[in-house]
Amino acid sequence: MANDFEKHIASVKDFPNKGIIFRDITPVLQDGKLFQAATHKLAEYVKSKNADIIVGPEARGFIVGCPVATELGIGFVPARKPHKLPREVERASYDLEYGSNSLEIHKDAIKPGQRVVVCDDLLATAGTLRACKQLIENLGGELVGSCFYIELPDLKGKEKLPGLDVFSLVKYHGA
Ligand SMILES: O=P(O)(O)OC[C@H]1O[C@H](OP(=O)(O)OP(=O)(O)O)[C@H](O)[C@@H]1O
Ligand SMILES: Nc1ncnc2[nH]cnc12
């Protein structure tokens, strides 16, 4: 599956900025069987972590995380870009491979003691993942793992979250 999966990732040079190779997952999503297989692999991982709930960062984390949550029958919490959520929020700011931003989640979205896994399409510098961890922990949740379609190990994201388990379907070096 990893081979077929890799064939369906489009690598786009100099997007959105010069020097970045953008790993585009949309061809995977267009292939129903492959999207289902990728969802299933991530769901197996989330299940192995005995997670109560999934957090997915806007926007691609919604696409990746929601079907995993429905496959397992567990909840999904959107971590949204600022000023999108209507009720009281917790906010964290972060940098990523090509910019900076903030994420917010509703203050009542995670209950103290809940086991949480973050699902997203790609791990690069881990700015997004660190912001999610901060939000989850500020609300009393426990980040018990994280899973991605793609990991860019050269950007050393994992090193910024020592002790956190990271699962990915494919790794790209030289990004
Ligand atoms: O590990 P990092 O360096 O934080 O980068 C990874 C993040 O960057 C992308 O999201 P982006 O913020 O571009 O938002 P999008 O999903 O709305 O395109 C991607 O979907 C991850 O969430
Ligand atoms: N190289 C990359 N491709 C796609 N999404 C990204 N998010 C951060 N870096 C990325």
Side-chain angles (χ1 to χ4, degrees), residues 9-73:
I9 307 279
S11 294
V12 184
K13 276 193 186 143
D14 297 329
F15 182 88
N17 302 330
K18 207 164 171 32
I20 303 287
I21 306 174
F22 191 88
R23 309 294 180 176
D24 172 24
I25 61 156
T26 60
V28 173
L29 309 177
Q30 281 163 237
D31 183 321
K33 291 286 172 221
L34 197 56
F35 187 19
Q36 190 174 48
T39 297
H40 188 63
K41 285 271 174 213
L42 264 50
E44 281 178 341
Y45 171 78
V46 173
K47 194 167 184 204
S48 78
K49 292 282 154 192
N50 203 15
D52 300 307
I53 202 148
I54 288 172
V55 165
E58 184 171 352
R60 285 171 265 159
F62 299 174
I63 297 168
V64 171
C66 278
V68 175
T70 58
E71 179 171 329
L72 294 174

Side-chain angles (χ1 to χ4, degrees), residues 13-174:
K13 276 193 186 143
D14 297 329
F15 182 88
N17 302 330
K18 207 164 171 32
I20 303 287
I21 306 174
F22 191 88
R23 309 294 180 176
D24 172 24
I25 61 156
T26 60
V28 173
L29 309 177
Q30 281 163 237
D31 183 321
K33 291 286 172 221
L34 197 56
F35 187 19
Q36 190 174 48
T39 297
H40 188 63
K41 285 271 174 213
L42 264 50
E44 281 178 341
Y45 171 78
V46 173
K47 194 167 184 204
S48 78
K49 292 282 154 192
N50 203 15
D52 300 307
I53 202 148
I54 288 172
V55 165
E58 184 171 352
R60 285 171 265 159
F62 299 174
I63 297 168
V64 171
C66 278
V68 175
T70 58
E71 179 171 329
L72 294 174
I74 64 175
F76 178 86
V77 172
R80 296 216 60 182
K81 306 257 160 85
H83 313 299
K84 299 285 187 183
L85 292 170
R87 293 181 294 108
E88 220 189 331
V89 294
E90 191 71 29
R91 178 187 289 193
S93 299
Y94 62 99
D95 293 321
L96 69 166
E97 200 186 359
Y98 44 70
S100 62
N101 215 323
S102 301
L103 283 174
E104 298 179 345
I105 60 178
H106 274 138
K107 280 203 165 162
D108 60 3
I110 291 165
K111 309 283 175 271
Q114 275 193 316
R115 295 173 64 81
V116 185
V117 170
V118 169
C119 289
D120 203 353
D121 68 323
L122 182 142
L123 177 68
T125 64
T128 307
L129 181 58
R130 287 170 77 195
C132 289
K133 180 175 158 67
Q134 192 183 321
L135 293 172
I136 291 160
E137 291 178 351
N138 285 355
L139 296 178
E142 185 189 355
L143 181 61
V144 295
S146 61
C147 57
F148 304 87
Y149 284 180
I150 302 166
E151 200 180 325
L152 307 180
D154 296 350
L155 295 178
K156 303 189 187 305
K158 249 191 224 179
E159 290 174 22
K160 291 184 199 127
L161 287 152
L164 178 65
D165 194 43
V166 174
F167 172 78
S168 60
L169 300 178
V170 292
K171 293 184 174 61
Y172 283 95
H173 290 275

